[in-house]
């Protein structure tokens, strides 16, 4: 049952996008996984941060010229959000060595060694599949977004009777004009810019994947303890006080791991919940609107499916920690009275008096009920977004075939006129 061995392939894929700059992930000893400022991973990460800051300024400057509406506000918000996420990922990577030693301490417990090979193999296969599918879905979503933008630019050239001999140059100057009026165009720069945008977009997925794999590991530790307790919930077997003393000690060790990990990761969880909430509202807003191209409709539905799936899995894995940590309370109640002892009583009281749950910086706890609360928040903020769209529908509007560049496909004057008719 090796947490670091399980997540190694996931972190390798994540680092292809310049995220989570932790060095030595291919080494078998997790204590040799460390953060270094002078490393290829960190240098790439810092460069992406600077590109993101530059693009955030460009988007802000563009909106100051054309005006803000509910649609194009996503431009600067996107870059600002991923800058915050990447800063928090950098913090987690910097503090990872302290977490690694605690994970190893938990995995060395006697309770975790019972049938560890079978449990480790099954658990590793499941969480790797979930994490890699989410990562590739996030990448596919961004590729579909690029395809959508290319299709829109080609159709724009056809409608406006614009001729171009070099499509990459035309695409770059129409999609990133605000960038290329500051930096001379060349094809390698376009490739670097597209890679940077892809890597920055993947920060949304990486934060959720990291929270999911950590939550799943802690759930697995509590489940192993519960399996040991289940053996003594019948009259056939009577546990000695030493057994319950060890169980309580192991339970406390896992709880301490949870507290230490969440002290580092909980800011990322707060941003994850806020980001997913906004993205769900934003994609619902686009589904409510009539799309100009069928590829835009496909992208809107696929993107909404991705973000809902990601948000649901993140909340589900986090809330499972509370469910599985509280399970021993009910199990202890089924133990016959003749098997009761003072150490069992102490273990039972410890669980009952301590509220074991993943907390988002103390602002809210992640339980099953939180998922329903988030659903209510989506409905509320979607109404707010629709109202904001109504009050700003005449802002950020461009004449059709305008030479002005728009990264996020604004409404044209002709489109608004057609809707008013």
């Amino acid at each position: 049952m090796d947490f670091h061995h399980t997540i190694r392939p996931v972190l390798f894929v994540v680092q292809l996008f310049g995220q989570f700059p932790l060095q030595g992930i291919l080494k078998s000893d997790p204590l040799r996984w460390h953060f270094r400022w002078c490393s290829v991973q960190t240098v790439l990460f810092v460069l992406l941060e600077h590109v993101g800051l530059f693009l955030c300024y460009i988007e802000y400057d563009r909106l100051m010229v054309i005006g803000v509406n509910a649609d194009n506000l996503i431009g600067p918000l996107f870059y600002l959000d991923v800058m915050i996420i990447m800063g928090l990922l950098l913090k987690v990577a910097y503090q990872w060595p302290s977490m690694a030693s605690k994970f190893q301490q938990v995995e060395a417990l006697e309770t975790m060694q019972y049938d560890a090979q079978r449990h480790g193999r099954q658990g590793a296969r499941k969480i790797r599949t979930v994490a890699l599918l989410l990562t590739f879905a996030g990448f596919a979503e961004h590729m579909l977004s690029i395809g959508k933008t290319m299709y829109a630019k080609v159709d724009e050239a056809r409608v406006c009777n614009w001729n171009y001999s070099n499509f990459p140059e035309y695409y770059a100057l129409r999609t990133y004009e605000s960038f290329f009026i500051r930096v001379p165009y060349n094809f390698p720069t376009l490739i670097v810019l597209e890679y940077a945008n892809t890597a920055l977009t993947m920060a949304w997925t990486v934060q959720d994947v990291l929270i999911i794999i950590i939550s799943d590991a802690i759930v697995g530790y509590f489940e192993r303890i519960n399996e040991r307790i289940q053996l003594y919930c019948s009259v056939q077997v009577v546990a000695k006080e030493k057994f319950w003393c060890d169980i309580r000690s192991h339970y406390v060790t896992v709880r301490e791991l949870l507290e230490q990990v969440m002290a580092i990761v909980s800011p990322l969880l707060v941003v994850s919940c806020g980001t997913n909430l906004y993205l769900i509202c934003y994609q619902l807003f686009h589904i409510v609107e009539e799309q100009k191209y069928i590829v835009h409709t496909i992208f809107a539905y696929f993107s909404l499916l991705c973000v809902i799936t990601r948000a649901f899995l993140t909340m589900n894995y986090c809330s499972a920690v509370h469910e599985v940590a509280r399970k021993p309370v009910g199990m202890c109640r089924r133990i016959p009275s003749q098997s009761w002892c003072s150490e069992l009583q102490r273990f039972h009281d410890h669980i009952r008096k301590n509220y074991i749950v993943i907390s988002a910086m103390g602002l809210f706890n992640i339980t099953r009920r939180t998922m329903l609360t988030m659903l209510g928040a989506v409905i509320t903020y979607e109404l707010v977004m629709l109202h904001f769209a109504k009050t700003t529908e005449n802002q950020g509007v461009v004449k059709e075939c305008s030479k002005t560049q728009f990264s996020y496909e604004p409404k044209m004057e002709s489109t608004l006129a057609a809707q008013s008719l």
Side-chain angles (χ1 to χ4, degrees):
M1 191 175 182
D2 189 343
F3 169 69
H4 287 85
H5 175 74
T6 300
I7 67 172
R8 186 182 294 121
V10 180
L11 294 185
F12 177 77
V13 173
V14 162
Q15 288 193 348
L16 295 178
F17 300 104
Q19 301 292 336
F20 206 69
L22 195 64
Q23 196 172 19
I25 62 170
L26 297 180
K27 297 177 181 177
S28 58
D29 183 6
L31 295 180
R32 299 176 67 185
W33 296 18
H34 58 278
F35 175 85
R36 285 181 56 190
W37 285 106
C38 297
S39 66
V40 175
Q41 295 94 332
T42 306
V43 170
L44 176 59
F45 187 90
V46 172
L47 286 176
L48 288 174
E49 282 261 42
H50 283 81
V51 172
L53 288 172
F54 182 51
L55 293 176
C56 183
Y57 166 74
I58 288 176
E59 288 295 327
Y60 171 78
D61 186 59
R62 181 174 66 85
L63 293 191
M64 291 300 99
V65 175
I66 67 173
V68 177
N69 58 44
D71 191 17
N72 62 22
L73 185 62
I74 187 67
L77 284 182
F78 161 70
Y79 291 111
L80 181 62
D81 185 46
V82 296
M83 289 302 97
I84 295 173
I85 293 171
M86 292 181 69
L88 293 175
L89 287 174
L90 185 67
K91 175 190 173 186
V92 175
Y94 181 78
Q95 296 180 304
W96 192 270
S98 63
M99 292 170 50
S101 60
K102 192 65 177 180
F103 272 104
Q104 282 201 319
Q105 178 185 346
V106 170
E107 290 170 355
L109 297 175
E110 182 183 353
T111 303
M112 304 303 163
Q113 303 304 315
Y114 180 74
D115 203 9
Q117 186 174 1
R118 179 178 64 86
H119 284 83
R121 186 168 54 250
Q122 292 177 351
R125 188 183 304 117
K126 178 182 176 182
I127 195 60
R128 279 177 183 171
T129 302
V130 171
L132 291 175
L133 282 178
L134 285 178
T135 303
F136 289 128
F139 178 71
E141 178 191 6
H142 185 68
M143 291 299 101
L144 185 59
S145 174
I146 294 176
K148 168 191 72 106
T149 304
M150 286 184 175
Y151 183 87
K153 299 308 177 186
V154 170
D155 188 72
E156 179 186 44
R158 179 185 60 81
V159 171
C160 302
N161 294 318
W162 291 342
N163 294 320
Y164 55 86
S165 57
N166 187 338
F167 176 73
E169 181 179 7
Y170 165 73
Y171 167 78
L173 296 181
R174 289 301 293 164
T175 307
Y176 301 108
E177 185 219 16
S178 296
F179 178 85
F180 284 113
I181 61 175
R182 296 171 170 85
V183 178
Y185 167 78
N186 58 75
F187 185 70
T189 303
L190 174 61
I191 296 300
V192 170
L193 195 58
E194 286 291 353
Y195 170 78
N197 256 317
T198 303
L200 293 171
T201 304
M202 290 301 295
W204 281 342
T205 302
V206 172
Q207 68 170 346
D208 290 335
V209 166
L210 187 64
I211 294 169
I212 286 172
I213 59 180
I214 291 175
S215 301
D216 178 76
I218 295 173
V219 167
Y221 299 146
F222 279 122
E223 284 180 342
R224 299 298 296 278
I225 294 176
N226 293 344
E227 287 180 4
R228 296 288 286 165
I229 297 174
Q230 184 67 39
L231 180 63
Y232 297 94
C233 289
S234 63
V235 295
Q236 286 79 16
V237 182
V238 178
K240 297 180 180 180
E241 290 209 13
K242 183 181 183 305
F243 170 81
W244 294 112
C245 182
D246 291 341
I247 286 293
R248 183 173 61 85
S249 174
H250 297 172
Y251 188 94
V252 170
T253 302
V254 176
R255 192 197 72 188
E256 290 174 348
L257 169 65
L258 174 62
E259 292 173 351
Q260 180 177 339
V261 168
M262 292 318 300
I264 299 172
V265 178
S266 59
L268 201 62
L269 180 58
V270 174
V271 177
S272 170
C273 292
T275 299
N276 290 334
L277 178 62
Y278 177 76
L279 289 177
I280 290 173
C281 293
Y282 181 77
Q283 294 302 338
L284 284 173
F285 170 74
H286 277 272
I287 287 177
V288 171
E289 281 193 325
E290 183 179 354
Q291 298 294 327
K292 185 176 180 181
Y293 307 108
I294 184 63
V295 67
H296 285 193
T297 303
I298 295 173
F299 170 76
Y301 278 98
F302 181 74
S303 182
L304 178 62
L305 176 64
C306 285
V307 68
I308 288 178
T309 302
R310 210 166 59 228
F312 171 78
L313 288 175
T314 303
M315 301 291 283
N316 184 63
Y317 275 90
C318 288
S319 62
V321 172
H322 174 67
E323 298 290 329
V324 73
R326 294 288 297 174
K327 194 174 179 181
V329 174
M331 298 171 68
C332 289
R333 290 171 182 165
R334 296 198 298 270
I335 296 177
S337 57
Q338 61 266 29
S339 301
W340 207 263
C341 62
S342 59
E343 286 296 337
L344 174 55
Q345 183 66 50
R346 291 181 64 188
F347 175 59
H348 181 265
D349 292 342
H350 176 83
I351 302 174
R352 211 163 37 83
K353 294 177 182 179
N354 290 275
Y355 193 67
I356 311 298
V357 66
I358 286 184
S359 173
M361 295 182 67
L363 299 175
F364 54 90
N365 297 324
I366 307 297
T367 62
R368 302 292 182 188
R369 188 173 298 178
T370 311
M371 301 171 72
L372 296 177
T373 304
M374 188 173 182
L375 178 61
V378 166
I379 297 173
T380 302
Y381 288 111
E382 184 64 23
L383 294 175
V384 172
M385 184 172 285
L386 290 173
H387 176 71
F388 179 61
K390 186 69 176 177
T391 57
T392 60
E393 62 181 354
N394 294 320
Q395 300 178 22
V397 179
V398 230
K399 294 181 180 180
E400 196 155 18
C401 299
S402 168
K403 295 298 178 66
T404 306
Q405 175 270 340
F406 291 88
S407 298
Y408 289 91
E409 303 301 334
K411 297 174 182 175
M412 301 292 187
E413 279 189 353
S414 59
T415 305
L416 290 174
Q419 290 179 354
S420 63
L421 294 176

